[in-house]
Amino acid sequence: MSKTPTLLANYVEAQAHEATVGANEVISPGPRRLVLRCPDFASATIEPCDVTAFRVSRNEFRHYTPALIEGDALMIIVQRHDHPGPTPGHDLVEAWSEGDAVKVCRWSSARAFTWDPAGVPGRGRQTATGDGRPAVLLGDATVISLALCMAERAARDGRDLVTVLEVPEPDVDATRALVPEATVLPAVETPGAVLDAWIRANVEALRVLPDPVAYLAGNGPAIQRQRTLLRDVVGLDRKAVRTQPYWAEGRPGL
């Protein structure tokens, strides 16, 4: 990830929420459940696709997707990477204990990767409860927090959501317990290969969805393949496919 000028990094951190760690527990070999408490959170809201960040060095941050806010508690599911290279974000989070003071950067979403609460992209329709347009979320273990956030919002909006996640075999049961509405499949060595196969096996089922919006997150190269499959094989319009890479092999994180 690109480095942030120190002056700007200091400003971002100065605007951060002052929180304390309420819980930091490993729930499976890969994912851990992080709960951060702050009075600010009691009046805060999150949108699916929002990201927050923690400062890991003088000019670097690592980004994470909030899952849920309950009262003054913000929950994030953090997934440990097994790919080679440093993991400064996870190393920071792993060292936190209950009661530790932490700074949680204010969250927002990228312009090209946001929850669409309304109708057809580009037609300007916005409604509080959506219009029944289904959403499809495809991702890996790094997408569990996003899946939780989308599930809660889709249920609140009265909107259909199809979620398919590929996760390491040891984490399948824990992921199914966290996101019971999702299809959770054991991953193989090549990131995204299981989702590639799922798309090819479900082309007709995807085609009959009425004007869906697809969200692809997780491994960067896998996302590119899946976007091509959804556009060229399934036939989705390019504006209906939204992407957000979270990681790539050999990189310390996004």
Side-chain angles (χ1 to χ4, degrees):
M1 174 168 217
S2 60
K3 297 183 183 297
T4 303
T6 302
L7 183 63
L8 180 57
N10 290 342
Y11 175 80
V12 169
E13 190 175 52
Q15 307 303 309
H17 299 284
E18 301 279 352
T20 58
V21 177
N24 189 8
E25 56 183 346
V26 174
I27 55 179
S28 193
R32 66 172 54 237
R33 176 176 170 269
L34 176 65
V35 177
L36 303 171
R37 295 188 177 278
C38 173
D40 296 347
F41 299 160
S43 58
T45 59
I46 54 175
E47 291 287 315
C49 306
D50 280 350
V51 293
T52 186
F54 306 122
R55 193 175 186 178
V56 297
S57 70
R58 178 175 58 84
N59 56 4
E60 288 185 292
F61 293 85
R62 285 298 176 268
H63 296 83
Y64 296 92
T65 304
L68 299 169
I69 292 180
E70 295 181 342
D72 68 347
L74 171 70
M75 183 177 77
I76 304 173
I77 303 298
V78 180
Q79 174 72 18
R80 184 172 184 85
H81 278 311
D82 292 327
H83 64 280
T87 56
H90 192 87
D91 293 344
L92 175 73
V93 170
E94 193 175 51
W96 288 340
S97 299
E98 185 175 347
D100 285 352
V102 300
K103 293 188 176 182
V104 184
C105 291
R106 296 180 182 274
W107 48 83
S108 63
S109 56
R111 181 177 299 178
F113 193 72
T114 57
W115 178 252
D116 176 19
V120 179
R123 295 189 186 175
R125 280 196 297 162
Q126 297 287 323
T127 65
T129 59
D131 61 356
R133 189 179 189 201
V136 178
L137 171 63
L138 305 178
D140 57 25
T142 64
V143 183
I144 295 173
S145 258
L146 177 58
L148 282 165
C149 194
M150 279 196 177
E152 189 278 334
R153 181 58 180 271
R156 183 152 45 96
D157 287 357
R159 187 173 173 186
D160 290 335
L161 172 66
V162 177
T163 300
V164 186
L165 303 174
E166 59 168 56
V167 306
E169 175 71 44
D171 300 326
V172 167
D173 289 343
T175 304
R176 286 173 177 163
L178 282 168
V179 198
E181 306 89 351
T183 297
V184 181
L185 304 171
V188 295
E189 184 175 356
T190 302
V194 171
L195 291 177
D196 297 348
W198 185 90
I199 293 172
R200 292 187 181 279
N202 289 273
V203 170
E204 293 306 318
L206 290 168
R207 283 177 177 168
V208 300
L209 292 175
D211 194 25
V213 183
Y215 296 85
L216 310 179
N219 177 263
I223 286 171
Q224 298 307 312
R225 296 195 311 272
Q226 291 149 22
R227 179 172 62 177
T228 298
L229 285 170
L230 289 174
R231 289 168 55 182
D232 295 351
V233 179
V234 178
L236 293 190
D237 185 273
R238 64 180 182 83
K239 293 181 179 179
V241 182
R242 305 183 179 189
T243 64
Q244 181 61 61
Y246 287 166
W247 69 280
E249 295 89 337
R251 297 185 63 184
L254 299 173

